[in-house]
Amino acid sequence: MTEFFSWSDEISVGIQEIDEQHKQLISIVNRLYNAVIYSPGQLDAIKAIMNELVQYTIIHFAVEESLFRIFGYPEYDSHKKRHEDLRRQVIDINDKIQSGEEQGSLELMTFLRKWLRNHIMIEDKRYSPFLINQGIKETWASKSWIGRIWGS
Ligand SMILES: [Fe+2]
């Protein structure tokens, strides 16, 4: 499988739980890329992976927003607003994929990689020092619920 979007320490936010969720998102984008580029006729597969990307994005943003409320993050409103924009963008793309108006392209994949990379590098790197300072646990001691649901 071609790794279109690679994980690197450069994009770590320093909180394992969040990093693992970002890795899941990156892996969904990589699977979508491989389906779009190498199996362009298999629209059912592309639609299924795209649905997964939307669902996991919604879960991930909800988790982040919960953490912001729990820890009293002062930029909660602006980050939540940014999530709403990003969520809208991925839902709009998914609507076009599901209706057949869009079938996936290199341009779309480049957009999604940038969409996810910007979320991590710009938005998330802003909150992690605050959460760590407030005492959030940076690493896990035991296996997470994500792996149990998503099979990794
Ligand atoms: Fe995030």
Side-chain angles (χ1 to χ4, degrees):
M1 195 171 93
T2 303
E3 214 177 20
F4 174 65
F5 187 172
S6 304
W7 171 264
S8 67
D9 287 344
E10 185 203 15
I11 53 176
S12 169
V13 299
I15 301 166
Q16 192 177 0
E17 178 77 28
I18 304 295
D19 283 347
E20 294 299 328
Q21 293 191 7
H22 289 155
K23 286 177 189 172
Q24 291 288 343
L25 287 167
I26 288 170
S27 119
I28 297 170
V29 167
N30 278 323
R31 277 166 44 221
L32 187 65
Y33 173 86
N34 279 269
V36 164
I37 302 302
Y38 300 114
S39 316
Q42 294 181 21
L43 296 181
D44 287 349
I46 293 168
K47 287 178 183 179
I49 302 168
M50 199 57 221
N51 273 332
E52 221 183 295
L53 181 62
V54 168
Q55 286 162 13
Y56 198 74
T57 297
I58 290 170
I59 291 171
H60 172 64
F61 287 173
V63 168
E64 286 188 347
E65 289 163 20
S66 293
L67 292 173
F68 300 162
R69 287 190 295 272
I70 291 165
F71 288 95
Y73 183 47
E75 291 180 55
Y76 175 79
D77 288 335
S78 62
H79 198 123
K80 190 165 185 291
K81 172 80 183 58
R82 188 70 192 128
H83 276 172
E84 277 157 19
D85 294 342
L86 290 166
R87 195 158 33 213
R88 190 71 259 158
Q89 286 176 335
V90 77
I91 288 171
D92 285 348
I93 292 168
N94 192 32
D95 287 348
K96 288 188 183 141
I97 295 276
Q98 300 302 329
S99 72
E101 187 187 329
E102 160 88 71
Q103 302 192 341
S105 60
L106 184 59
E107 291 71 29
L108 174 74
M109 294 314 307
T110 305
F111 174 84
L112 284 174
R113 180 172 59 185
K114 195 171 159 209
W115 167 88
L116 181 53
R117 201 181 164 82
N118 282 352
H119 161 70
I120 299 171
M121 297 295 284
I122 301 170
E123 271 93 54
D124 291 357
K125 286 210 178 216
R126 283 172 71 93
Y127 72 63
S128 60
F130 176 83
L131 297 185
I132 291 167
N133 212 4
Q134 295 296 307
I136 198 171
K137 215 162 159 241
E138 290 172 58
T139 54
W140 305 323
S142 58
K143 194 161 168 38
S144 102
W145 57 272
I146 309 168
R148 273 181 237 128
I149 292 173
W150 293 80
S152 62

